[in-house]
Amino acid sequence: MTQTSPPHNPGSNNTEDRKSEMKQTQDLDVGATFLHGTIEHLEVDSREARSVLRKIDMFLLPVLAFTYMIQFLDKSCISYAALWGMVDDAHLVNDQYSWLTTIFYLGYMVGEFPINILFQKFDIAKTCGIFIILWGTTLLCMTAGHNFAGLATARLFLGILEAGVSPCFVLLTTMFYKRSEQPLRTCIWFSMNGVANILGGLIAYGIGHLHAALPAWKFPFIIFGSITVAWGIIFILVTPSNPTKARWLSDREKEIAVLRVVENETGMDNKTFKMEQVREALVDPRFWLINLHCLANTIPNGAVSAFAPLIVNGFGFTKFESTLLGMPSGASQVLALWISGYLATRFKGIRHFLMIGGLLVALLGGVLIFALPDSNRVGRLIGYYLLVGFSVNFVLSLTLLQSNVAGRTKKTMFASSFFVSYCVGNLIGPQLFFTREAPRYQSGFASMIVCFVVQIAIVVVMYTVNVRENKRRDLLNPNTSEDHQAAVVSLGLSDMTDAQNLHFRYVL
């Protein structure tokens, strides 16, 4: 694989030439400006390249995984607090508890675009680390809440501060891993939601047995908030914003890490915000399809995240039983994500089919919960465990966003709007679980079933659009020329969008 370097003309004093040179340099990303020409050829599957991949997995992946786990614990520990007396102590009435979940996603939605623009302008890892420290501090402040207004204010700021984590991890995964490697790694760090369910259940179970002067419902905020603040400091110290900043890679390994991901043709990073890429994103049908898909996916997610212990409790189990019985759901999620991530990495062209498979499993779970009578609490519990199928669908849609969007600003638009849709869905979901319908929540589970069916239809359309565009590009610009590899390198470091680069093929 031949590498490229930024254009340079040291002998030119012409103003127009300098402007042109500056524009060309801006079109390149940080990977191109780092390469020094020491590596003339790289086999992406060579022993040396595999060694760099193992090093990235060893140093980066655990950081992403642990951070995602504590983020999930932080935003969902309110459900454990509710189980141990927060609702009564804070005098929450009617749908105020639902609104505590909803207002988190309002804050998340408000913070999404501004934070992602900050990520493009500044060091993404250090900026993310600062936000981690701030949201841990906010979580600690939840212990001072004694009414709806105080708790709602803290939840609003918690949502704003957590808004950047998922987009940050999407971008970091894109910068460090090839497209074929992204599904498994994304599924691994996202599966920490399931691990968090298990650990959170154990911690919540232990908290329920505490006998202290402080109310039991405040302990989740104290425990998770303290861990988060400490971890934010560590995150800043150890996390690189791209391969060129990884202190645990040698200079040669950094160049190899950059060249490994050139074949993605999605770029690495570029600090110039480009309005033409914003306009391109808004007219791209994939932009609207993936946002509609995310909206339909996260309506069920918002409900399950907010009501998980209460849903299981409503099947007829005690509070202690509900806490423990929620843990297998986390284990099922981890297993489903790791299997689907491995299959998507191992076999080409099956991501959309795996998404449909996950939705069919979730659809079966929703139907079991909705249709089975109260007396069949085991059957309804099994249905609850099957709902994890929609997590597979969500994570694989994230990998499509990583793999199928090129151009740094366009990627920012896709990621930001995707997580705005994520917020809107999570805003809607809890509001469909009406207190008057407890414990069956008929409207909530009926809406889940509808959302699963809608998602299946959208995935079919997404697949069709990408297949047709790939075939069109094969006819216009077949990837068989001798200079194809050189073109891939040049285009992969140019900050061109997927629409501009006819060498680009969409992952299926």
Side-chain angles (χ1 to χ4, degrees):
M1 179 180 289
T2 306
Q3 55 91 9
T4 189
S5 59
H8 184 56
N9 183 13
S12 174
N13 293 318
N14 186 282
T15 302
E16 293 301 321
D17 287 347
R18 287 199 299 270
K19 289 182 178 178
S20 176
E21 182 178 327
M22 184 178 296
K23 176 64 169 65
Q24 292 178 59
T25 302
Q26 288 175 344
D27 284 341
L28 296 171
D29 68 15
V30 296
T33 61
F34 177 81
L35 296 178
H36 305 301
T38 57
I39 300 175
E40 295 296 334
H41 185 78
L42 174 70
E43 294 294 336
V44 294
D45 292 322
S46 67
R47 179 180 297 178
E48 193 173 23
R50 291 196 299 271
S51 174
V52 171
L53 173 60
R54 286 194 296 271
K55 211 166 184 179
I56 293 170
D57 282 339
M58 182 187 304
F59 284 92
L60 180 67
L61 198 55
V63 173
L64 301 185
F66 187 79
T67 308
Y68 213 75
M69 182 184 72
I70 62 173
Q71 187 211 24
F72 186 85
L73 284 169
D74 289 351
K75 72 180 179 183
S76 62
C77 68
I78 193 171
S79 63
Y80 301 122
L83 197 63
W84 298 119
M86 182 189 71
V87 174
D88 292 334
D89 282 5
H91 311 293
L92 302 182
V93 296
N94 299 325
D95 292 328
Q96 286 184 335
Y97 173 72
S98 294
W99 274 103
L100 288 180
T101 301
T102 298
I103 203 165
F104 171 89
Y105 291 103
L106 281 173
Y108 201 117
M109 185 166 56
V110 169
E112 193 61 45
F113 276 99
I115 289 176
N116 274 279
I117 292 174
L118 287 177
F119 283 162
Q120 185 167 357
K121 294 292 184 181
F122 301 103
D123 186 290
I124 186 172
K126 287 183 173 57
T127 306
C128 186
I130 291 169
F131 280 113
I132 292 171
I133 294 171
L134 291 175
W135 98 54
T137 304
T138 302
L139 197 66
L140 288 170
C141 292
M142 291 282 290
T143 59
H146 60 275
N147 56 29
F148 174 73
L151 292 172
T153 301
R155 289 284 291 178
L156 176 67
F157 281 101
L158 190 67
I160 293 172
L161 294 167
E162 288 195 29
V165 173
S166 293
C168 171
F169 286 8
V170 168
L171 293 170
L172 287 175
T173 306
T174 305
M175 293 174 191
F176 280 89
Y177 293 105
K178 296 191 296 181
R179 292 206 285 179
S180 60
E181 298 162 353
Q182 290 165 8
L184 179 58
R185 275 72 183 184
T186 302
C187 284
I188 287 173
W189 59 254
F190 194 91
S191 71
M192 293 301 105
N193 285 357
V195 175
N197 270 331
I198 298 171
L199 292 179
L202 288 172
I203 293 171
Y205 184 82
I207 288 171
H209 289 83
L210 288 176
H211 300 286
L214 199 66
W217 65 267
K218 295 191 177 188
F219 280 96
F221 301 129
I222 294 172
I223 294 169
F224 300 136
S226 301
I227 293 172
T228 301
V229 171
W231 179 250
I233 297 171
I234 297 172
F235 187 92
I236 291 174
L237 296 175
V238 303
T239 310
S241 57
N242 59 65
T244 71
K245 300 287 184 67
R247 286 179 291 182
W248 31 266
L249 294 176
S250 67
D251 285 346
R252 179 176 177 82
E253 289 172 334
K254 289 175 183 177
E255 291 202 45
I256 292 172
V258 170
L259 289 170
R260 283 184 69 258
V261 298
V262 162
E263 68 177 45
N264 293 349
E265 297 187 65
T266 56
M268 185 173 293
D269 200 6
N270 187 289
K271 298 303 181 184
T272 304
F273 192 84
K274 302 175 181 178
M275 287 305 300
E276 63 271 20
Q277 293 193 13
V278 174
R279 290 189 289 269
E280 182 181 308
L282 294 176
V283 298
D284 190 333
R286 294 168 192 80
F287 178 86
W288 300 105
L289 285 170
I290 202 164
N291 275 285
L292 288 172
H293 173 270
C294 181
L295 176 65
N297 184 273
T298 50
I299 289 175
N301 179 72
V304 172
S305 297
F307 287 87
L310 301 179
I311 289 171
V312 178
N313 186 227
F315 293 159
F317 299 100
T318 67
K319 289 183 178 181
F320 283 104
E321 288 173 338
S322 299
T323 301
L324 295 176
L325 288 172
M327 292 165 56
S329 176
S332 299
Q333 185 182 50
V334 172
L335 185 63
L337 288 174
W338 283 43
I339 291 174
S340 61
Y342 171 78
L343 292 175
T345 298
R346 180 70 176 81
F347 302 101
K348 292 182 178 180
I350 66 168
R351 294 191 202 182
H352 293 82
F353 298 101
L354 289 172
M355 291 165 70
I356 292 173
L359 287 168
L360 290 174
V361 171
L363 179 62
L364 175 60
V367 169
L368 288 176
I369 297 172
F370 182 81
L372 290 177
D374 292 343
S375 57
N376 194 342
R377 63 178 189 172
V378 174
R380 300 186 77 205
L381 182 63
I382 292 172
Y384 172 73
Y385 293 152
L386 293 177
L387 290 178
V388 299
F390 74 80
S391 295
V392 169
N393 186 53
F394 179 81
V395 178
L396 290 179
S397 69
L398 270 182
T399 72
L400 292 178
L401 190 154
Q402 292 166 333
S403 301
N404 286 345
V405 184
R408 181 63 174 86
T409 302
K410 186 175 181 180
K411 202 179 298 178
T412 295
M413 283 295 298
F414 264 74
S416 298
S417 61
F418 181 90
F419 286 102
V420 167
S421 299
Y422 166 86
C423 293
V424 174
N426 279 288
L427 286 171
I428 295 171
Q431 300 305 315
L432 298 175
F433 274 62
F434 304 114
T435 303
R436 64 178 181 273
E437 293 183 350
R440 284 196 66 92
Y441 299 112
Q442 298 94 323
S443 299
F445 288 109
S447 68
M448 282 189 187
I449 293 170
V450 172
C451 286
F452 296 147
V453 173
V454 169
Q455 286 173 78
I456 291 172
I458 294 173
V459 172
V460 171
V461 175
M462 290 167 62
Y463 180 80
T464 303
V465 168
N466 288 332
V467 166
R468 288 182 176 178
E469 180 59 18
N470 283 349
K471 289 181 179 179
R472 186 185 75 85
R473 294 186 179 201
D474 286 342
L475 294 174
L476 289 174
N477 187 33
N479 291 342
T480 57
S481 62
E482 293 180 1
D483 63 344
H484 172 62
Q485 285 300 316
V488 165
V489 176
S490 177
L491 295 169
L493 296 175
S494 66
D495 199 41
M496 290 182 70
T497 67
D498 52 283
Q500 296 167 337
N501 178 9
L502 292 180
H503 282 272
F504 189 92
R505 296 296 184 271
Y506 293 97
V507 168
L508 303 175

